[in-house]
Amino acid sequence: MVKTASTMLPLGTQAPDFSLKNVDGSTVSLSDFSDSKGLLVIFMCNHCPFVIHLREALAAFADEYMEKGLGVVGISSNDVATHPDDSPEKMVEEAKSAGYHFPYLYDGTQEVAKAYKAACTPDFFLFDQEQKLVYRGQFDDSRPGGDKPITGADLKTACDAVLAGSPVTEDQKPSIGCNIKWQEGKEPEYFTGQPAV
């Protein structure tokens, strides 16, 4: 596990397209969220301690904000040859067990993760109604084994601003998590393998 920080994709970036298989067998695409008030894309997986730490809070957060009109989608891009716990079959079990009611998609080619310049799990990308990037950063200051409570404060503030049609502060802290498990020899140029401070 390499403790990795978000690449902090430039704000204003148009959401890269995707069309991936959901845990329920359907295909979910970016265009499915064109009527949403905003879209939160979370690169995540089953096994990462950073995701497990937020698991319960993430499920509750997604339920709350989907109710308010925000689109939410989770994407797992890990190489399942080296991390079988993140296989599509296990994703089905995890979505049910964790109470994830948002689409949880499998990015087997890792092309979607690379298009978003996703680096870690969890890595959060929030887009406004025009699907332009307004926030990329942490859920909150809480980390596994730390003493800070899970509040979701950073992401909530950004989502509330999007839903209100207000600007999102550009003072954003990168998300920290396990590095995405890239297929051997196919690591993106932005993956350094160096741990985040």
Side-chain angles (χ1 to χ4, degrees):
M1 173 182 88
V2 179
K3 186 177 158 192
T4 301
S6 172
T7 60
M8 303 303 272
L9 189 66
L11 294 172
T13 298
Q14 195 72 34
D17 201 10
F18 60 81
S19 189
L20 299 168
K21 185 69 67 81
N22 188 15
V23 287
D24 66 2
S26 66
T27 297
V28 175
S29 306
L30 177 66
S31 58
D32 294 330
F33 299 96
S34 55
D35 293 334
S36 299
K37 294 177 181 174
L39 174 63
L40 175 63
V41 178
I42 311 164
F43 286 87
M44 53 187 285
C45 66
N46 298 341
H47 88 276
C48 170
F50 289 85
V51 178
I52 292 168
H53 177 65
L54 298 178
R55 187 175 183 254
E56 198 175 301
L58 209 50
F61 181 95
D63 284 351
E64 178 185 345
Y65 280 87
M66 287 192 298
E67 187 74 28
K68 295 175 180 178
L70 188 73
V72 179
V73 61
I75 299 176
S76 179
S77 304
N78 278 355
D79 180 11
V80 299
T82 55
H83 291 77
D85 283 351
D86 293 329
S87 72
E89 297 75 25
K90 298 276 190 183
M91 286 170 63
V92 173
E93 294 171 19
E94 177 62 9
K96 189 173 181 182
S97 166
Y100 295 149
H101 300 130
F102 52 85
Y104 189 18
L105 315 179
Y106 176 55
D107 174 28
T109 66
Q110 304 189 323
E111 291 306 315
V112 175
K114 290 174 182 176
Y116 280 76
K117 291 203 164 27
C120 55
T121 52
D123 210 349
F124 299 94
F125 297 83
L126 178 65
F127 299 88
D128 64 14
Q129 201 155 11
E130 274 84 55
Q131 296 187 343
K132 287 191 176 1
L133 186 66
V134 291
Y135 180 83
R136 71 289 187 248
Q138 64 179 11
F139 191 66
D140 57 24
D141 287 325
S142 184
R143 301 287 183 265
D147 55 2
K148 294 188 176 169
I150 300 171
T151 63
D154 296 59
L155 190 57
K156 277 182 192 232
T157 300
C159 290
D160 288 344
V162 165
L163 293 173
S166 305
V168 177
T169 176
E170 293 189 15
D171 181 18
Q172 302 175 8
K173 296 181 190 170
S175 186
I176 300 278
C178 304
N179 62 292
I180 288 177
K181 307 306 184 233
W182 303 107
Q183 293 159 5
E184 196 173 345
K186 296 184 178 177
E187 300 87 353
E189 78 290 341
Y190 59 81
F191 175 62
T192 64
Q194 297 304 305
V197 263

